[in-house]
Amino acid sequence: MSTVRGHSPELLGVLLIALAFSALVLVAPSALPAQSGTPTYDPVTVDPLVLDSVFPPTRDELSFTSVGERLNGLMLVAQGAGPHPTVILLHGYPGNERNLDLAQAIRRAGSNVLFFSYRGAWGNGGTFSFANAQEDVASAIRYVRSPDVVKRLRVDPSRVAVIGHSMGGWLSFLGAAADPSIACVGGIEVADFGYAGGEIMRSHRADSAFTARAIWLTGPGGPVHASSDALIAEVKANAKSGALTNHAAELSGHTLLLIDNTQNAVHASLVAALRRAGAGHLTEEVWPTDHVFSDRRIALAREVVRWLHSACGY
């Protein structure tokens, strides 16, 4: 076989691949596809193909105040100059599942992610209550929109979404019902504590289970600083006002994501209430899995990222 200038075809092929790779690495970040646009790779399972050396992805350990108490958290900052959409990711009760795998996938797809714990939870100051947690969500929204954070962490204050798991999903929907500026809201295996209040008043078995858990969570060394009796009384007192079906009208104008498992007791009634209220941008799914999606983590991350991109434009 003939060769070009004495080099074998195999060697020439290697040289061409090396030159192509060098050209890719030397491309200026501004010439690359925007991370917040249509992904050119799968951000759920693949790291960014090219690193922006000027504005790399990073993590900021932070704290902010809510009604005078310090809340600890972190921001996963997406690469690129931004400003970036920002997702506030809310944990449950007490929040053993933090869903930080979802946070990393969301960040790789081009959005910042704020994760924090509520007052009185996981070492934070103050006392935990369900009302306090709702105030903490509002404080987190104000925090990510504050001028210092917008500038320092490359936040687009006009594109802030709230997504929560379990109790965090309930808080996400309540927060959006109270704040029309939050266009995109997601709930993953939503635990509706308004519905729970009604259940523990109707069922001795449900009352006993909720009470036992509250005592365990608030015991010495537990993750929740609160009175178990106060938590039980609060849930019962707010059974009606806290039920998400009673907030369907306020939620109907938002872009909504609701992913639950087949055992979720509130999914069907909440979807029906939202449809009756005219919700026109609702994505809802029911999957055969457990409360924390133990066997569906990749699928869950992919669906959340897909929804943020296709429904919210993030």
Side-chain angles (χ1 to χ4, degrees), residues 199-220:
E199 282 295 289
I200 64 178
M201 288 190 291
R202 288 187 291 268
S203 164
H204 176 72
R205 181 178 178 181
D207 190 4
S208 297
F210 190 92
T211 299
R213 182 158 176 78
I215 292 171
W216 183 73
L217 291 175
T218 59

Side-chain angles (χ1 to χ4, degrees), residues 8-313:
S8 70
E10 291 82 1
L11 178 57
L12 286 173
V14 171
L15 290 172
L16 288 172
I17 292 171
L19 287 171
F21 179 75
S22 298
L24 176 62
V25 171
L26 293 175
V27 170
S30 60
L32 298 171
Q35 287 293 312
S36 58
T38 303
T40 56
Y41 67 102
D42 181 3
V44 175
T45 58
V46 179
D47 287 322
L49 300 179
V50 179
L51 179 66
D52 187 330
S53 59
V54 181
F55 299 101
T58 187
R59 184 188 70 177
D60 190 81
E61 296 179 356
L62 53 82
S63 66
F64 60 96
T65 59
S66 180
V67 196
E69 297 292 349
R70 170 175 165 163
L71 305 184
N72 298 303
L74 57 89
M75 180 85 88
L76 299 181
V77 183
Q79 81 163 342
H84 300 292
T86 297
V87 174
I88 299 173
L89 186 63
L90 302 178
H91 68 70
Y93 172 70
N96 287 302
E97 177 55 70
R98 286 160 169 75
N99 290 291
L100 294 180
D101 56 335
L102 301 187
Q104 294 286 357
I106 292 168
R107 190 254 298 270
R108 287 192 296 271
S111 295
N112 297 337
V113 183
L114 173 68
F115 177 86
F116 72 97
S117 292
Y118 317 108
R119 265 180 285 170
W122 302 105
N124 280 344
T127 300
F128 176 83
S129 74
F130 301 107
N132 285 354
Q134 293 174 53
E135 291 178 343
D136 297 342
V137 173
S139 296
I141 294 169
R142 288 192 296 270
Y143 173 75
V144 299
R145 287 175 168 166
S146 63
D148 171 67
V149 171
V150 165
K151 180 179 180 180
R152 182 169 59 86
L153 300 180
R154 312 196 290 270
V155 171
D156 181 349
S158 68
R159 294 190 292 167
V160 176
V162 184
I163 300 175
H165 170 250
S166 193
M167 180 191 73
W170 176 65
L171 292 173
S172 294
F173 280 96
L174 287 180
D179 185 349
S181 72
I182 301 297
C184 288
V185 192
I188 300 167
E189 185 54 7
V190 172
D192 186 330
F193 278 71
Y195 173 86
E199 282 295 289
I200 64 178
M201 288 190 291
R202 288 187 291 268
S203 164
H204 176 72
R205 181 178 178 181
D207 190 4
S208 297
F210 190 92
T211 299
R213 182 158 176 78
I215 292 171
W216 183 73
L217 291 175
T218 59
V224 175
H225 176 65
S227 158
S228 59
D229 288 342
L231 293 179
I232 296 162
E234 181 185 15
V235 169
K236 291 179 178 179
N238 293 287
K240 183 176 181 180
S241 62
L244 292 181
T245 52
N246 293 326
H247 296 276
E250 301 101 295
L251 290 166
S252 61
H254 297 264
T255 298
L256 306 171
L257 173 68
L258 188 62
I259 306 178
D260 292 314
N261 72 12
T262 51
Q263 285 76 47
N264 191 291
V266 302
H267 181 92
S269 59
L270 178 55
V271 168
L274 290 169
R275 298 293 189 198
R276 286 195 301 271
H281 301 282
L282 169 63
T283 300
E284 58 96 5
E285 298 189 33
V286 177
W287 294 356
T289 186
D290 65 3
H291 184 64
V292 296
F293 291 69
S294 296
D295 59 344
R296 302 292 293 271
R297 298 304 303 182
I298 297 295
L300 178 62
R302 186 164 284 126
E303 179 60 18
V304 170
V305 167
R306 185 206 63 77
W307 173 78
L308 284 168
H309 174 69
S310 63
C312 303

